[in-house]
Amino acid sequence: MNGKVSVAGADADGLAAWIAPGRTALLIIDMQVDFAAPQGVLGGYGVDMSVVAPALEQAKVLAAAARAAGTPVVFIGLQTAPATDSPAWRERMRRRGGDPDSDSGLCRIGEVGADFYGPTPEAGERVIGKTRYSGFYGTDLDARLKAMGVDTLVACGLTTECCVDSTVRDAFHLDYHVFIPTDACAAYEQDIHDATLKILDLNCAILTSTDDVVAAWTEAA
């Protein structure tokens, strides 16, 4: 599932209309140092960051195409602090045998780990900080998108099964049309990535590829 999954009717003309810049925003989710860089927290734990590197590069391509076409680019990033850590998440980690204090130390506000990595915001682009998996939970993302006249989202980021999944589901529940370029998302295990995309395709999103999205936005530009 690294490339486009065929969907009836999703030809080039259809996709160009469906994700036209006047109605669409690109969401780049949690592409941050702690989740994507060797020097981040997960890299320090020994997680192989090479598996997410291709998605970072494809997200850069998407961001460049969106900017050229006039499609808004919105960066969503985890921004944590002890005061906003989830008690339920901490207790779950404890029950699983983890250390809630060390396990909560991802993307701390003011630390390098929270910085965007790979694609990065340009001046004037919208940045949404969140404290939970979904980019919509406890944020003004929905209000900002609606104020821009956006009803369609192209969503990419890290990780496929966690924050991308949660954000896409909430977007669908808020009546956005959601498209996922599968090669611009990644999980640390390929089978998890593939399974999540299959479920999202069944329930709340249309799968596509970076190449097809870029072609649609290039046509619009």
Side-chain angles (χ1 to χ4, degrees):
M1 284 212 184
N2 289 322
K4 181 179 72 174
V5 174
S6 296
V7 179
D11 57 22
D13 290 338
L15 184 61
W18 292 345
I19 63 168
R23 65 184 303 183
T24 305
L26 171 65
L27 303 187
I28 298 178
I29 303 164
D30 285 17
M31 288 186 158
Q32 295 168 272
V33 169
D34 276 347
F35 297 128
Q39 67 269 28
V41 168
L42 295 186
Y45 288 161
V47 176
D48 180 9
M49 291 298 155
S50 68
V51 299
V52 304
L56 299 176
E57 293 304 312
Q58 294 297 77
K60 289 182 186 178
V61 172
L62 287 168
R67 290 161 182 154
T71 302
V73 182
V74 180
F75 284 81
I76 300 171
L78 185 65
Q79 296 181 357
T80 71
T84 58
D85 286 343
S86 164
W89 192 90
R90 289 176 57 87
E91 177 61 12
R92 176 176 174 274
M93 293 308 298
R94 186 191 69 79
R95 294 182 186 187
R96 287 168 57 91
D99 179 350
D101 291 325
S102 63
D103 292 340
S104 296
L106 285 165
C107 299
R108 287 304 199 197
I109 295 171
E111 297 183 5
V112 172
D115 292 346
F116 289 102
Y117 186 80
T120 55
E122 292 190 349
E125 289 183 336
R126 294 161 182 82
V127 176
I128 302 292
K130 63 185 178 69
T131 61
R132 299 296 187 269
Y133 295 150
S134 171
F136 289 95
Y137 181 85
T139 75
D140 63 352
L141 176 58
D142 182 41
R144 290 198 187 198
L145 293 171
K146 285 185 167 57
M148 292 188 288
V150 167
D151 70 355
T152 301
L153 303 173
V154 173
C156 66
L158 305 176
T159 56
T160 314
E161 83 287 357
C162 189
C163 295
V164 173
D165 177 274
S166 294
T167 301
V168 165
R169 288 176 185 277
D170 280 354
F172 183 74
H173 295 153
L174 291 165
D175 289 330
Y176 290 94
H177 311 293
V178 186
F179 294 80
I180 303 174
T182 62
D183 52 350
C185 301
Y188 303 116
E189 298 177 39
Q190 187 65 40
D191 60 335
I192 292 176
H193 171 78
D194 291 342
T196 302
L197 291 174
K198 184 173 183 179
I199 293 167
L200 289 174
D201 181 42
L202 284 170
N203 294 308
C204 52
I206 291 176
L207 305 187
T208 183
S209 68
T210 295
D211 284 349
D212 283 356
V213 171
V214 169
W217 283 340
T218 300
E219 177 182 330

